[in-house]
C-alpha cells in the first residue's frame, strides 16, 4: 500500500521545509485543520505563525514548485518509498496518540507494518555477549508470538534484536535519527536493506538530514510511541535507552527490564528502571503475559525458534563455571577458590572463552556467558 502520490506530497514537503520545527507545523495543522486550508488561509491569518515574515507566507500561497523537491520526488518514485502524513488514515494509531506526534513520516518498506502490535527492544551500544544473547532470544521468541520488534538500528543491542527477528522470519521496524536516504551507522547498510524488505525503516527527518546528537532522543520517542511496550535489555545509568523508557512511561506504555549482575555497569540502568516501577522480566513469556490481551494477539505455543547451539563444558570446565558463579570475578579469586596455579586458571579461561563459555569483562575479570 503506497503513501502519498507526488502531487499530494508536494504541499506537505513545502510546509515541512518552511516550518521551523515539527511543533511549528503541528500548530498550523491544529489551527487550520489541513494542509489545503493552510495554503488557502488569508495572509493576515498566516503571518502570526511566521513571526510576521512574509517570505514563507508568500511561498505557501504560491504553492510548491516540483523543481524545489526533485530529490524527494525521486526518492518517492523508488519502490517501497512512502510519505505518510499525520492526517492519513494509515498513520499508526498509537503514534498519533502521543503528545508530540510527527506530522510527517518517511517510510521505506511496508506501511502496514507500522500498525501491527509492536514491542520495542533497546539497550546499550556497548553490549556484552550475554546481553546480545538475551536480546536475540527475546526478540526471536516474541516475533514468533506475533509481535513486530521495533528498535533504533544502532550498534549493540538494537542490532542484535533486529537480526534475531529477521532470522526468526519475523517483522522488524527500525526508527532512524537521520533522513532515510542515508544509513547510520554506515556499517548497518545491509541490515537496513533487510529490515526494509521484512518490515520498515521510519524517520520523521527530511531526506539529507545527517546524524546529530539532539536527534537521537527525539527519535527515541517514536520507538516507544509506535510500541505497546519497551523492553530494556542492558543499559548503563546514562544510556539513551533510559530516555526511550522514560518517553514510554510518559506515553502510557509498558516498560520491561531484564535484571543483571549487581557488579555490571550495564545492568545498573535496568535495575534503576525496576526500582522506578518497570516490570522485571526473566523470560519472553513474562512480556507476552503482560501484552497479550492488550495487543490482541495469540501467543504462539508451537513453531518457536530452534534452540541455539550451546557449548557443553567438560568436567574441569564445569567445575570452573561453578567457581566463577554468575558475577564477574578476577583470576586471583579463582586461583584462591580452585587451589590451581594462575597459569592453569588462565589457560582454562582462555580455552573456555574460545568455546563461548565465558567472556572477558573490564578490570581483568571474566564472567560466564549464560
Amino acid at each position: 500500500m503506497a503513501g502519498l502520490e507526488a502531487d499530494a506530497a508536494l504541499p506537505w514537503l513545502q510546509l515541512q521545509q518552511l516550518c521551523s520545527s515539527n511543533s511549528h507545523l503541528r500548530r498550523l495543522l491544529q489551527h487550520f485543520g489541513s494542509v489545503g486550508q493552510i495554503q488557502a488561509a488569508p495572509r493576515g491569518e498566516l503571518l502570526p505563525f511566521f513571526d510576521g515574515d512574509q517570505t514563507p507566507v508568500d511561498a505557501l500561497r504560491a504553492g510548491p514548485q516540483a523543481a524545489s523537491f526533485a530529490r524527494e520526488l525521486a526518492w518517492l518514485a523508488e519502490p517501497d518509498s512512502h510519505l505518510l502524513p499525520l492526517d492519513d488514515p494509515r498513520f499508526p494509531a498509537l503514534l498519533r496518540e502521543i503528545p508530540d506526534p510527527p506530522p510527517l513520516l518517511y517510510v521505506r518498506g511496508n506501511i502496514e507494518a507500522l500498525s501491527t502490535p509492536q514491542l520495542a527492544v533497546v539497550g546499550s551500544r556497548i553490549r556484552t555477549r550475554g546481553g546480545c544473547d538475551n536480546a536475540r532470544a527475546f526478540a526471536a521468541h516474541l516475533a514468533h508470538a506475533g509481535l513486530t520488534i521495533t528498535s533504533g538500528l544502532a550498534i549493540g543491542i538494537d542490532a542484535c534484536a533486529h537480526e534475531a527477528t529477521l532470522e526468526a522470519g519475523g517483522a522488524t521496524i527500525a526508527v532512524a535519527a537521520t533522513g532515510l536516504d542515508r544509513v547510520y551507522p554506515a556499517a548497518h547498510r545491509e541490515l537496513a536493506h533487510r529490515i526494509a524488505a521484512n518490515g520498515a525503516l521510519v524517520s520523521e527527518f527530511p531526506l539529507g538530514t545527517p546524524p546529530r546528537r539532539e536527534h537521537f532522543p527525539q527519535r527515541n520517542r517514536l520507538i516507544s510511541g509506535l510500541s505497546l511496550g519497551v523492553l530494556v535489555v542492558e543499559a548503563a545509568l546514562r544510556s539513551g535507552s533510559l530516555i526511550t523508557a522514560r518517553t514510554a512511561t510518559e506515553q502510557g506504555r509498558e516498560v520491561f527490564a531484564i535484571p543483571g549482575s549487581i557488579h555490571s555497569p550495564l545492568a545498573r540502568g535496568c535495575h534503576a528502571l525496576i526500582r522506578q516501577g518497570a516490570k522485571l522480566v526473566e523470560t519472553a513469556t513474562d512480556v507476552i503475559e503482560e501484552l497479550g490481551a492488550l495487543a490482541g494477539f495469540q501467543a504462539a505455543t508451537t513453531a518457536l525458534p530452534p534452540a541455539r547451539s550451546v557449548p557443553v563444558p567438560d568436567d574441569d570446565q564445569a567445575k570452573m563455571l561453578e567457581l566463577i558463579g554468575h558475577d564477574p570475578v578476577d583470576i586471583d579469586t579463582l586461583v584462591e577458590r580452585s587451589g590451581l596455579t594462575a597459569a592453569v586458571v588462565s589457560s582454562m579461561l582462555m580455552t573456555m572463552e574460545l568455546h563461548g563459555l565465558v567472556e572477558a569483562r573490564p578490570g581483568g575479570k571474566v564472567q560466564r556467558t549464560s
Side-chain angles (χ1 to χ4, degrees), residues 48 93 199 275 300 351:
R275 286 195 296 271
T351 301

Side-chain angles (χ1 to χ4, degrees), residues 9-36 38 46 49-50 60 83-87 91 100-106 204-206 221:
L10 278 171
W12 280 97
L13 291 169
Q14 183 193 39
L15 193 58
Q16 185 179 54
Q17 181 188 70
L18 295 175
C19 288
S20 59
S21 65
N22 279 342
S23 60
H24 183 193
L25 202 165
R26 279 195 303 271
R27 288 197 302 273
L28 281 165
L29 288 172
Q30 289 165 0
H31 182 83
F32 293 102
S34 71
V35 172
I38 293 171
L46 285 170
F49 286 91
F50 292 91
L60 276 174
L83 204 61
L84 197 61
L86 184 60
D87 64 357
F91 194 94
D100 52 351
L104 201 58
L105 285 178
Y106 294 78
E204 66 179 315
F205 298 105
R221 87 188 196 290

Side-chain angles (χ1 to χ4, degrees), residues 313-323 348 352 368:
D314 61 29
D315 290 344
D316 290 338
Q317 291 172 344
K319 291 176 183 177
M320 183 59 71
L321 287 174
E322 291 181 8
L323 295 174
M348 287 184 65
M352 292 169 72
R368 62 197 299 169

